[in-house]
Amino acid sequence: MPYELREHAGRHFAVLFHYALPDDAWAVELSEAVPVPAPVPATENPDVAVTYAPGAAFLVALVPDEDPNLEPTVRVYSPEDHVVPYEIMGWFMEQVADQVDRCRIAFEQGGPEAAEVSPPTR
């Protein structure tokens, strides 16, 4: 599952992309990134070690890809009090907007079958 990491004010955040089959939608998840116990080589660049990975999601945007009339939604999953910096929230919403655009373009180009497009590899 592709993901992106970003550091802000000493905290690490992750945006993870995956297909949520029960929802027939792409899920774009925001979490606080957690340290990886033993750094591993990045798949796209083996010379770079991955030291953080996505943690438990506390915001999940669901982007439907089979019906362009369904609106994307954002769910909050957080029993704890998470403070999300404005810059990180903007970054997350940009990722969601990009996924919405990809799904809508794919749907317009070929219907629901073509709309099953994955996010770009990060």
Side-chain angles (χ1 to χ4, degrees):
M1 290 182 267
Y3 63 90
E4 287 192 19
L5 298 171
R6 180 160 293 181
E7 182 180 355
H8 179 79
R11 293 171 62 196
H12 294 82
F13 295 88
V15 171
L16 174 75
F17 301 85
H18 67 90
Y19 196 78
L21 193 56
D23 297 302
D24 288 328
W26 281 97
V28 183
E29 300 182 350
L30 178 65
S31 67
E32 194 141 359
V34 295
V36 175
V40 295
T43 55
E44 65 279 353
N45 186 353
D47 296 332
V48 177
V50 175
T51 56
Y52 283 86
F58 50 82
L59 286 177
V60 179
L62 294 171
V63 181
D65 68 340
E66 293 188 15
D67 184 349
N69 296 318
L70 294 177
E71 290 189 24
T73 58
V74 176
R75 295 181 182 169
V76 178
Y77 295 100
S78 181
E80 303 170 10
D81 184 27
H82 286 280
V83 175
V84 180
Y86 180 79
E87 181 180 318
I88 295 300
M89 182 59 84
W91 171 60
F92 172 67
M93 293 309 298
E94 286 174 12
Q95 302 300 318
V96 173
D98 288 347
Q99 187 64 31
V100 169
D101 290 345
R102 279 191 294 278
C103 287
R104 289 186 176 162
I105 289 169
F107 190 86
E108 289 172 4
Q109 291 177 347
E113 296 80 26
E116 293 190 22
V117 9
S118 63
T121 304
R122 310 285 185 200

